[in-house]
Amino acid sequence: MSVYRLIDWKYERPYIIGSLLILFVLYSPYWLLGQNAYFLIHDFLDDSSYNFGPLVLSGQAFNFGPDATVPNIMNGLPRAGMHSGLYASVWFFAILPPFWAILINFLLVHSLGFVGMYALMCTYILNGSGVGPSGVNAPDERLLAAGVAMIFALIPTYTNYGLSVMGQPMLLLAFLNLLNRRAGWGSWVIILAFPFYSFLVRSGLYVLVGLGILGLVDMIRNRYFVKAYWLGLFLFAGIYVLVDFPMIGAYLGNQFVSHRSEYDPALLISSSFVGNLKNIVLLFIQGQYHAGIFCPALIVVLWVWWFIQAKQKMALPFWIMGAIVVICLLHGLYPLLITRSGIPQRLLTIFQLDRFYFLLPLLWMLMLGRLQNPTPTPPRKGGTNAKSFFSPSLTGRGWGGVLFLQLLLTLALNKEWIANTRTLVGLGRPDRQPSYRAFFAEALFDRIKTTLPSTPADYRVVSVGMHPIIAQTNGFYTLDSYQNNYPLPYKHQFRQIMAAEWAKPEAHLIQPYFDAYGNRCYVFPSELRMDCLIGKRENRVVNDLQFDNSAFRAMGGRYIFSAVAIKNAASLGWRQVGIFNDSLSYWRIWVYEVN
């Protein structure tokens, strides 16, 4: 099988090119606004996964030595605690300025998501027989494949995770080719390349489990062991180990004791029945925001319609719905599994086993495509009336209407897209949705940098009321950071700075959040709770901050960057260096020196 069989370019070219043009038009607010575009902040711009920029600035992105450290983060964060330099997401930041690295990665991820889903729909889902794209020669069928792929590509998944979600259709297509003994070198390239552009701890582990189950089911049903499939799965897992070997080596070799060893989900997650039931329902009706917010209401209605009239109740749509329900139940009941099952928590918290929800966007799209042809059809030659491939309940035009409504629903739930579209047409956006330019405020931080008497490498800073990633991206060395893996002694040392503040009654939520979680190693004043997005229009203040100057200075700390005025700064012995503001920045920043 040659590579063209993944996508039959001769027949599919107008559909793919036309759809990609539509996709680029729909995403035009992002590249037309440039740095005035809004990107999600929570777990995207502020996240450790986004620390690619500061990592590249440190010069340690491609240092794979066991003793390597990142000097500009947390007084020398172990390099193994951050993402491997073998990830393609890191390469973007090594080659491009940070904004362009984000934007190009964003467009590429969604485009590949479209192409992969389109090819999967044409090859194995809509035609039901798995005869390959050249067998799917009904124009209406290609349009429906393009519609499903377009919906998938518009799901607002987190693109800083690369192809962790958007690449799943292409990966499944490659493994199905192996299973059906039709794989050429194109399928092998996809399998071998995917781990370099996705995260093991986000979707990789769960994709591996899903593919393993698929292979076992096929082996039991057909009583045949497909060697190429299992070889592909073995190589797939092996390359993930290769890509993530610094992190895995650090864990297995006990290079440092991670702060995650104190992770205590019992203090963070409610195990009440009502809370668990709510989580199950929410995941089912809207998905999980890391994987992508997606409302499948129309698909559920169609599935119920199909189930009522289906002659084969155990057909593929039944099993897909079963997988979706199991994933939702696992997510909702996970707190009980952790706190009451007796299984060692260390085993359950290395990887969050409820993260199978990263498979939900793919499963819902498989359902949507399969309901258009719920029972397999015989292989065919030449053209065939497209209506014979659809569910008997709807014609091709009816399915086109369903896909159009689902596409509108998907866009309506995409807060990032809505914000940028509103801005592009002059309607503005809410105050708490700053543009990339306003959020990182490069010009403002350049003024701060030139005002301070020495170079950033000579001192350390922390931020109040704003995320540390802002200072890091602008070249400052920070004691605070958002990291998934850092040394436990550092967590204890940093806690001393805020111990008195977090002992206040009003800090009753902050203290367990830090002690039992700790990924956000931040300065959290109790008066601000854990708000790190306080813009200059809010006019909030901190009246009484308890802060251990000695502990701060012992860690090399010297300056505080605060998004609010700290009224007791003088009594703390701090000197106000200045108040910095400009028209382009989201922030007004008070800079204090700790004597």
Side-chain angles (χ1 to χ4, degrees):
M1 176 180 176
S2 58
V3 70
Y4 85 90
R5 294 281 290 180
L6 291 171
I7 296 176
D8 196 335
W9 191 245
K10 178 181 177 181
Y11 296 101
E12 314 299 341
R13 178 171 52 196
Y15 298 92
I16 293 176
I17 293 178
S19 297
L20 286 176
L21 286 175
I22 294 173
L23 188 66
F24 271 70
V25 169
L26 288 173
Y27 279 131
S28 63
Y30 291 83
W31 47 267
L32 288 175
L33 290 171
Q35 293 198 33
N36 291 321
Y38 164 72
F39 289 94
L40 292 174
I41 293 170
H42 180 71
D43 285 353
F44 187 71
L45 293 188
D46 71 339
D47 185 29
S48 57
S49 297
Y50 179 74
N51 268 319
F52 304 136
L55 176 61
V56 170
L57 280 177
S58 74
Q60 303 300 308
F62 304 104
N63 188 339
F64 300 101
D67 299 323
T69 60
V70 182
N72 50 330
I73 299 175
M74 291 179 150
N75 269 344
L77 177 70
R79 176 63 187 86
M82 300 184 74
H83 289 301
S84 169
L86 294 179
Y87 279 123
S89 299
V90 177
W91 307 343
F92 281 105
F93 284 83
I95 298 170
L96 300 167
F99 171 76
W100 290 105
I102 292 174
L103 182 61
I104 291 175
N105 178 62
F106 176 91
L107 295 174
L108 181 61
V109 165
H110 284 286
S111 298
L112 290 175
F114 170 85
V115 173
M117 181 59 75
Y118 179 85
L120 178 63
M121 285 290 133
C122 285
T123 310
Y124 289 106
I125 306 304
L126 284 177
N127 74 17
S129 59
V131 298
S134 60
V136 183
N137 46 25
D140 284 356
E141 206 167 50
R142 296 195 202 108
L143 286 174
L144 292 175
V148 175
M150 183 69 69
I151 293 168
F152 180 74
L154 291 171
I155 294 175
T157 186
Y158 276 43
T159 54
N160 52 341
Y161 305 150
L163 292 176
S164 294
V165 173
M166 285 286 135
Q168 290 176 25
M170 191 176 294
L171 183 69
L172 179 58
L173 172 64
F175 272 100
L176 287 175
N177 284 339
L178 290 180
L179 206 57
N180 287 278
R181 293 173 287 282
R182 296 192 185 96
W185 63 267
S187 296
W188 286 104
V189 167
I190 291 171
I191 292 168
L192 298 178
F194 188 86
F196 291 94
Y197 202 9
S198 62
F199 287 178
L200 174 64
V201 296
R202 289 297 178 182
S203 71
L205 175 67
Y206 316 104
V207 168
L208 275 166
V209 173
L211 290 171
I213 293 173
L214 176 64
L216 286 173
V217 169
D218 180 81
M219 184 169 59
I220 293 170
R221 287 185 63 190
N222 297 314
R223 299 180 182 180
Y224 186 82
F225 182 80
V226 183
K227 295 179 182 178
Y229 184 88
W230 293 100
L231 174 62
L233 199 60
F234 176 79
L235 291 173
F236 183 63
I239 293 175
Y240 261 128
V241 173
L242 171 67
V243 171
D244 259 322
F245 79 89
M247 178 188 71
I248 296 171
Y251 178 78
L252 295 178
N254 294 317
Q255 290 181 17
F256 63 90
V257 179
S258 173
H259 81 286
R260 295 181 69 87
S261 61
E262 287 188 343
Y263 180 59
D264 188 355
L267 297 177
L268 300 169
I269 306 172
S270 171
S271 58
S272 71
F273 175 77
V274 174
N276 293 335
L277 182 61
K278 180 181 177 182
N279 289 336
I280 293 169
V281 173
L282 284 176
L283 186 63
F284 186 81
I285 64 175
Q286 70 174 30
Q288 205 276 346
Y289 63 94
H290 288 108
I293 296 297
F294 178 79
C295 179
L298 286 174
I299 304 175
V300 173
V301 171
L302 291 170
W303 183 88
V304 172
W305 189 1
W306 163 82
F307 188 77
I308 291 172
Q309 65 179 350
K311 295 180 180 179
Q312 297 181 5
K313 299 293 186 183
M314 305 300 283
L316 186 58
F318 175 86
W319 295 111
I320 296 174
M321 182 60 77
I324 291 170
V325 170
V326 168
I327 289 172
C328 292
L329 288 172
L330 178 60
H331 173 70
L333 300 178
Y334 192 62
L336 293 177
L337 183 65
I338 290 178
T339 57
R340 301 183 187 179
S341 67
I343 301 175
Q345 288 190 8
R346 181 173 174 80
L347 236 124
L348 293 169
T349 55
I350 295 174
F351 293 102
Q352 291 181 227
L353 296 183
D354 66 330
R355 282 182 173 172
F356 283 96
Y357 52 65
F358 274 100
L359 305 180
L360 287 179
L362 172 65
L363 290 174
W364 282 119
M365 291 299 99
L366 292 178
M367 176 77 79
L368 182 58
R370 202 73 190 100
L371 285 173
Q372 297 173 64
N373 179 26
T375 55
T377 56
R380 58 194 183 281
K381 298 179 181 180
T384 311
N385 183 2
K387 291 185 180 180
S388 65
F389 301 119
F390 307 149
S391 166
S393 305
L394 287 176
T395 64
R397 183 174 298 177
W399 274 108
V402 168
L403 295 180
F404 181 71
L405 289 175
Q406 184 62 63
L407 186 146
L408 292 180
L409 182 59
T410 303
L411 284 176
L413 293 176
N414 190 333
K415 294 181 180 179
E416 190 180 86
W417 183 84
I418 292 290
N420 286 319
T421 302
R422 285 174 54 88
T423 302
L424 188 64
V425 300
L427 295 178
R429 64 167 71 99
D431 288 341
R432 286 205 156 220
Q433 292 182 342
S435 68
Y436 176 94
R437 188 193 309 277
F439 182 77
F440 284 106
E442 294 179 20
L444 189 65
F445 277 88
D446 283 343
R447 282 177 49 208
I448 295 173
K449 197 177 298 182
T450 57
T451 301
L452 299 182
S454 52
T455 60
D458 295 333
Y459 55 84
R460 303 292 182 268
V461 306
V462 294
S463 299
V464 175
M466 55 197 233
H467 295 284
I469 188 69
I470 301 166
Q472 292 170 359
T473 301
N474 283 288
F476 290 94
Y477 286 54
T478 69
L479 295 178
D480 49 351
S481 193
Y482 183 5
Q483 297 296 329
N484 289 318
N485 195 15
Y486 63 91
L488 180 62
Y490 188 89
K491 176 185 175 183
H492 294 165
Q493 189 180 14
F494 187 90
R495 194 189 189 288
Q496 294 176 21
I497 298 173
M498 300 301 295
E501 178 70 13
W502 293 343
K504 294 178 179 178
E506 55 268 34
H508 67 282
L509 296 177
I510 300 174
Q511 184 172 328
Y513 178 80
F514 183 83
D515 290 344
Y517 177 61
N519 283 18
R520 292 187 188 271
C521 191
Y522 284 20
V523 172
F524 285 131
S526 58
E527 293 176 58
L528 303 180
R529 297 182 181 270
M530 290 177 280
D531 191 348
C532 299
L533 198 61
I534 303 175
K536 58 189 174 186
R537 297 183 181 181
E538 298 189 38
N539 295 319
R540 294 169 66 182
V541 299
V542 171
N543 293 294
D544 179 30
L545 177 66
Q546 299 298 308
F547 191 93
D548 192 325
N549 291 347
S550 298
F552 181 64
R553 292 293 299 214
M555 297 178 73
R558 186 171 176 184
Y559 295 105
I560 310 289
F561 294 168
S562 179
V564 300
I566 299 176
K567 293 298 186 179
N568 67 325
S571 63
L572 286 171
W574 296 2
R575 179 180 71 87
Q576 183 173 300
V577 176
I579 304 174
F580 298 83
N581 187 20
D582 66 27
S583 60
L584 298 178
S585 171
Y586 177 75
W587 317 98
R588 179 184 294 110
I589 300 175
W590 282 257
V591 178
Y592 299 99
E593 182 179 15
V594 178
N595 295 317

